[in-house]
Amino acid sequence: MNAAAEATVTATEVVLPGKVAPSGLRLAQRALPAPAAGQALVRVESTAVSFAESAMRRGRYYGQPSFPFVPGYDLVGIVEAVGPGVDHALVGRRVAALTKTGGWTTAALLTAADLVEVPDGIGPDEAETLIVNGLTAYQMLHRSAKVRAGQTVLVLGAAGGVGSVLVQLALDAGARVIGTANPRHHEALRALGVEPIDYGRPDLAARVRELAPAGVDAVFDHLGGASVTLSYRLLNRTGTLVSYSIAAKLDDTRPVLLDFLPLLAKLTFWNYLPSRKHASFYDVWAGAGKPDSAKREAFRAWMRTDLTQVFDLLRDGRLTAKIAARFPLSEAAAAMELAESSGRTNLGKIILAP
């Protein structure tokens, strides 16, 4: 297809029809028109399952669209056509996109300004593992906590999608890393240089104190709920807590906002205490602003800079893409079931290949 293509493209996509089990996902086809002004048509090579999709299928992701919709938080693909006002040199290039929804498809119409070029030498699956996970981990480590060489950090869920990237970035930055995980992942984490702790230990806090008697410089907490109080107590006198999810509340049935508000209130209260500690909630979309606003342009520049840095670390061998499993897009239900399984054994992201 050339850059000025006008024919429609038929995309196969996975639809989340409502609050269903993974088996309730369904395949559908949709005709996509030619790209409009400012748009690009991307043939999707790789997308993936993230925590967000598991939350969305339960109606537990704040700000998710109304059912039915196509999930898929990010994607990698080849630009096949562009609309008016978009540089035709983009056609044929491999790009990454942070989409929040809509990624589980064989083709997508996206705003060209939101696309980040993937450097030569990086495959689509490798790049896919590092879009939302890599961006989240990089920004939390370097922009939120500002971790420096010689510091000690605690990563909860060190074997997860974000956690497995975060521990690598922290080690690359020269930090000492303690990570909580299921014992089945400890050998793999030790191989990376992480000091693993069983997340199910009743004396987890005591074990962290054994390893870091004065407390840690930063804690990255994806659980929310009561976990953030424990995380805050494990900080040293000048430590930073970064909370970035409420995974512990995934199966609650009350409105998700009722879990977020107490968490945000707690973090805010701690920052008013006469202490040199700091606590914050990280949201990858914070500061995105409205479409076509100056804030949105600044957000795009910030995201492009950080994601390009993550890709460069991957290309240079300082970061490894961790792929736990790979499924065809048509088997999205099986991929989601594995992602949510307590018996999962491999580190990394579960890829969907359109």
Side-chain angles (χ1 to χ4, degrees):
M1 180 181 293
N2 62 43
E6 295 182 358
T8 59
V9 170
T10 299
T12 299
E13 53 193 21
V14 178
V15 177
L16 181 58
K19 296 180 182 180
V20 296
S23 59
L25 295 169
R26 65 170 189 256
L27 290 177
Q29 291 190 323
R30 182 164 63 97
L32 300 179
Q39 287 187 325
L41 174 66
V42 178
R43 174 174 53 81
V44 180
E45 297 178 289
S46 186
T47 182
V49 183
S50 66
F51 172 80
E53 285 83 46
S54 294
M56 287 180 186
R57 77 168 184 84
R58 295 168 168 86
R60 299 287 298 163
Y61 193 90
Y62 183 68
Q64 70 182 74
S66 301
F67 296 113
F69 63 90
V70 177
Y73 214 91
D74 49 21
L75 61 83
V76 174
I78 302 294
V79 176
E80 294 210 336
V82 296
V86 180
D87 187 353
H88 285 205
L90 193 60
V91 175
R93 294 293 302 168
R94 175 168 289 145
V95 295
L98 188 67
T99 55
K100 186 179 284 188
T101 59
W104 289 5
T105 182
T106 57
L109 282 172
L110 302 171
T111 300
D114 291 333
L115 304 178
V116 178
E117 291 196 31
V118 177
D120 293 338
I122 297 178
D125 291 351
E126 293 177 302
E128 168 58 32
T129 67
L130 296 175
I131 305 175
V132 64
N133 289 353
L135 194 62
T136 296
Y138 185 89
Q139 292 187 342
M140 288 196 303
L141 188 79
H142 294 294
R143 294 191 182 272
S144 298
K146 298 180 174 60
V147 170
R148 305 183 304 277
Q151 292 188 323
T152 298
V153 304
L154 172 63
V155 177
L156 304 188
V162 173
S164 59
V165 180
L166 185 52
V167 297
Q168 292 185 75
L169 291 174
L171 290 165
D172 182 73
R176 176 193 179 198
V177 180
I178 302 168
T180 70
N182 189 294
R184 70 171 63 93
H185 298 300
H186 286 192
E187 183 178 352
L189 289 171
R190 286 193 188 95
L192 292 174
V194 177
E195 298 171 56
I197 299 176
D198 181 356
Y199 66 74
R201 288 182 62 144
D203 62 341
L204 188 148
R207 179 58 181 146
V208 173
R209 285 293 187 186
E210 287 177 12
L211 296 172
V216 297
D217 295 283
V219 181
F220 301 93
D221 188 312
H222 69 302
L223 294 172
S227 176
V228 294
T229 300
L230 176 62
S231 294
Y232 187 77
R233 290 171 178 168
L234 290 172
L235 295 173
N236 62 24
R237 292 181 178 180
T238 59
T240 298
L241 164 64
V242 183
S243 171
Y244 64 100
S245 186
I246 53 169
K249 301 292 185 179
L250 186 60
D251 290 318
D252 279 12
T253 56
R254 64 179 186 167
V256 66
L257 194 60
L258 296 182
D259 291 316
F260 264 116
L261 290 178
L263 171 61
L264 297 177
K266 185 181 292 187
L267 299 175
T268 301
F269 171 73
W270 284 334
N271 288 331
Y272 278 103
L273 295 176
S275 166
R276 296 173 64 192
K277 296 180 182 182
H278 184 262
S280 65
F281 187 85
Y282 171 84
D283 175 7
V284 71
W285 296 101
K290 297 180 179 179
D292 302 320
S293 67
K295 286 188 69 175
R296 179 61 61 90
E297 288 304 313
F299 173 81
R300 285 171 174 152
W302 190 19
M303 183 192 74
R304 183 173 293 107
T305 296
D306 290 350
L307 187 54
T308 300
Q309 177 66 23
V310 171
F311 285 152
D312 287 345
L313 290 171
L314 174 65
R315 183 189 56 195
D316 295 344
R318 294 164 60 187
L319 188 61
T320 302
K322 299 294 183 183
I323 299 173
R326 192 173 190 269
F327 290 80
L329 184 68
S330 59
E331 296 180 18
M336 179 171 275
E337 287 173 354
L338 178 61
E340 297 180 8
S341 170
S342 60
R344 179 177 166 187
T345 57
N346 294 333
L347 296 181
K349 198 150 189 177
I350 295 174
I351 298 294
L352 291 174

